[in-house]
């Protein structure tokens, strides 16, 4: 592991990004605005981030020659997604500074380790139990109760690797559906709302959180984000406190998102952590058009050792994802006054795939 120093990179320096999807694309666009270059490392030649950068490597994550050359050409390395193989991250971190520290990935790539980490900070999560075989699943159902959600410990996203078990349902069906992969069983949270906090932490430990975002999912995929979230100020303050304490506990550098449930508890509301994303996040896309600094620029500033900006929201903001064929409607959005449209250049729409988003800002 290379020692981290806090000297800021000069304009013209190169930030390496592992992953070539829309998050890398928007990171590179933000970097370019402030005079920094990006070198994208993608595993697929048709990755949409490759369209916006001058330097790119297309190779598998296990290709050590390609990784070594990539590291040589970068001043610092970051990533756009959390499932970068741990061997790739540690190979690179012996050659170049990798931020956020790859040790964060070991925690967030595994739902069980992540939950234990959150609990160790005295932050509440949904009730959960580890499951490694069918008999442990029955014990877990007995302990947690139904309804519950069986989730694979690794590689789940957008509702993939999850199976709900309803009251009276058959746990064995869920176990078979997830092919016997190591799982956790999570009690179903009858949440009132889903929210997220996107927080940036600089190399010097400074913190800047964006306003709490309220998120609406459709078919387990984020559909709409609204800011500010319709929650009382003390609940929003608690959500920000949770996200900032997670970032600090990781000694994190960059942007981190924490997804949370807001639960009614009598007359009060409680916040539970659902998931941590050690990267820029879809629920922060509104910051490109709805804030004086975007989550992408904050991430680039943090990993480049620049001071973080103080984000100022420009009004009430709504961000709508264009999923699959919805992107074919882009001409309709072009005609909507005040709508800022983003298309990710992913080619023909694929059902369930995030193809773009639209942001609208209204006076507060
Ligand atoms: P995840 O991949 O864990 O973020 O889950 C995707 C979505 O499934 C969440 O945003 C929630 O809408 C829903 N979900 C996940 N876990 C739970 C839970 N324990 N209780 C209720 N809904 C959940």
């Amino acid at each position: 592991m290379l020692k981290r120093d806090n000297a800021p990179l000069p304009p013209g320096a190169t930030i390496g990004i592992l992953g070539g999807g829309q998050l890398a694309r928007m990171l590179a666009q933000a970097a370019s605005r402030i005079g920094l270059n990006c070198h994208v490392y993608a595993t697929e030649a048709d990755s949409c981030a490759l369209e916006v950068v001058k330097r790119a490597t297309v190779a598998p994550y296990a290709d050590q020659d390609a990784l070594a050359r990539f590291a040589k050409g970068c001043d610092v390395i970051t990533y756009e997604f959390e499932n970068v193989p741990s061997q790739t991250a540690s190979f690179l971190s012996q050659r170049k500074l990798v931020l956020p520290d790859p040790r964060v990935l070991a925690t967030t790539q595994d739902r069980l380790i992540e939950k234990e980490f959150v609990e160790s900070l005295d932050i509440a999560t949904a009730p959960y139990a580890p499951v490694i075989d069918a008999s442990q699943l029955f014990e877990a159902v007995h302990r947690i109760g139904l309804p519950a959600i069986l989730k694979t410990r690794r590689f789940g996203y957008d509702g993939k690797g999850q199976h709900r078990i309803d009251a009276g349902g058959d746990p064995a069906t869920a176990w078979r559906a997830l092919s016997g992969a190591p799982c956790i069983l999570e009690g179903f949270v009858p949440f009132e709302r889903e929210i997220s906090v996107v927080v940036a932490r600089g190399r010097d430990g400074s913190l800047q959180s964006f306003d709490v975002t309220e998120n609406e999912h459709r078919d387990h995929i984020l559909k709409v984000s609204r800011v500010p979230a319709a929650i009382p100020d003390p609940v929003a303050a608690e959500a920000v406190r949770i996200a900032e304490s997670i970032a600090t506990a990781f000694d994190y550098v960059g942007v981190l998102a924490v997804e949370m449930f807001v639960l009614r508890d009598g007359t009060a509301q409680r916040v539970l952590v659902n998931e941590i994303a050690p990267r820029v996040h879809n629920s922060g896309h509104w910051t490109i058009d709805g804030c004086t600094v975007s989550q992408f620029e904050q991430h680039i500033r943090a990993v480049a050792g620049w001071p973080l900006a103080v984000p100022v929201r420009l009004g009430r903001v709504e961000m709508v994802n264009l999923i699959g064929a919805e992107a074919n409607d882009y001409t309709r959005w072009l005609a909507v006054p005040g709508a800022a449209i983003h298309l990710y250049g992913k080619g023909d729409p694929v059902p369930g795939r995030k193809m773009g988003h639209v942001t609208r800002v209204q006076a507060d």
Side-chain angles (χ1 to χ4, degrees):
M1 193 77 51
L2 295 177
K3 218 173 119 19
R4 178 166 117 196
D5 76 43
N6 290 334
L9 295 181
T14 299
I15 297 171
I17 304 175
L18 293 166
Q22 68 267 20
L23 300 179
R25 180 177 167 110
M26 291 184 268
L27 281 168
Q29 288 167 330
S32 138
R33 208 184 69 140
I34 53 174
L36 292 160
N37 300 318
C38 288
H39 181 148
V40 166
Y41 192 110
T43 54
E44 310 286 335
D46 64 353
S47 303
C48 69
L50 303 180
E51 302 296 332
V52 304
V53 288
K54 220 163 45 185
R55 269 163 280 184
T57 299
V58 178
Y61 282 130
D63 183 339
Q64 296 199 340
D65 290 339
L67 289 172
R69 276 196 308 275
F70 168 71
K72 224 173 181 171
C74 299
D75 295 296
V76 64
I77 296 172
T78 188
Y79 31 87
E80 64 135 24
F81 83 128
E82 59 272 51
N83 286 323
V84 169
S86 54
Q87 298 92 323
T88 304
S90 66
F91 180 87
L92 289 171
S93 62
Q94 283 153 22
R95 286 158 180 78
K96 214 31 76 83
L97 183 62
V98 178
L99 294 173
D101 190 300
R103 278 175 298 191
V104 172
L105 297 178
T107 301
T108 57
Q109 283 178 353
D110 184 317
R111 286 188 192 271
L112 178 60
I113 299 175
E114 181 176 287
K115 285 252 182 328
E116 289 170 347
F117 168 75
V118 172
E119 274 195 323
S120 76
L121 303 177
D122 275 332
I123 296 169
T125 68
Y128 69 94
V131 174
I132 46 156
D133 57 30
S135 75
Q136 211 181 19
L137 174 57
F138 281 90
E139 279 166 36
V141 167
H142 187 70
R143 182 138 69 87
I144 304 278
L146 294 178
I149 305 182
L150 188 64
K151 300 183 176 181
T152 56
R153 283 172 57 173
R154 299 173 71 86
F155 303 121
Y157 70 98
D158 285 349
K160 294 183 177 63
Q162 294 193 14
H163 205 281
R164 182 175 160 146
I165 312 172
D166 286 312
D170 178 17
T173 309
W175 181 245
R176 278 193 302 273
L178 299 181
S179 316
C183 283
I184 60 169
L185 184 74
E186 237 183 71
F188 186 82
V189 178
F191 57 79
E192 210 172 63
R193 304 173 189 283
E194 289 191 80
I195 59 170
S196 57
V197 175
V198 175
V199 55
R201 188 165 181 274
R203 284 202 203 176
D204 60 356
S206 57
L207 290 157
Q208 288 293 342
S209 290
F210 291 98
D211 288 341
V212 181
T213 305
E214 183 163 338
N215 302 312
E216 208 179 289
H217 293 80
R218 201 172 68 194
D219 301 329
H220 298 282
I221 302 175
L222 180 66
K223 182 59 194 161
V224 186
S225 288
R226 294 186 184 88
V227 203
I231 51 175
D233 288 347
V235 179
E238 173 62 1
V240 169
R241 188 197 64 78
I242 287 172
E244 293 188 350
S245 55
I246 288 173
T248 301
F250 275 138
D251 192 18
Y252 196 87
V253 177
V255 162
L256 169 103
V258 184
E259 296 179 49
M260 305 175 207
F261 299 128
V262 179
L263 188 66
R264 185 154 289 281
D265 198 354
T267 53
Q269 284 167 309
R270 276 200 307 137
V271 177
L272 305 184
V273 166
N274 172 31
E275 201 167 34
I276 303 170
R279 54 170 168 80
V280 286
H281 192 255
N282 195 170
S283 68
H285 288 4
W286 66 267
T287 58
I288 300 176
D289 303 295
C291 198
T292 49
V293 65
S294 75
Q295 62 165 347
F296 301 99
E297 181 176 327
Q298 284 290 60
H299 185 77
I300 294 291
R301 283 180 178 230
V303 301
W306 289 25
L308 299 177
V310 177
V312 178
R313 186 166 47 82
L314 301 175
R316 301 187 75 78
V317 192
E318 184 178 88
M319 187 278 326
V320 179
N321 269 339
L322 302 178
I323 298 166
E326 288 168 357
N328 292 335
D329 253 5
Y330 71 94
T331 48
R332 181 172 78 78
W333 285 108
L334 292 175
V336 174
I341 183 157
H342 299 252
L343 296 171
Y344 305 147
K346 289 182 170 179
D348 291 335
V350 174
R353 197 158 186 227
K354 292 169 182 167
M355 306 299 295
H357 71 266
V358 178
T359 307
R360 279 177 291 178
V361 185
Q362 286 177 340
D364 238 338

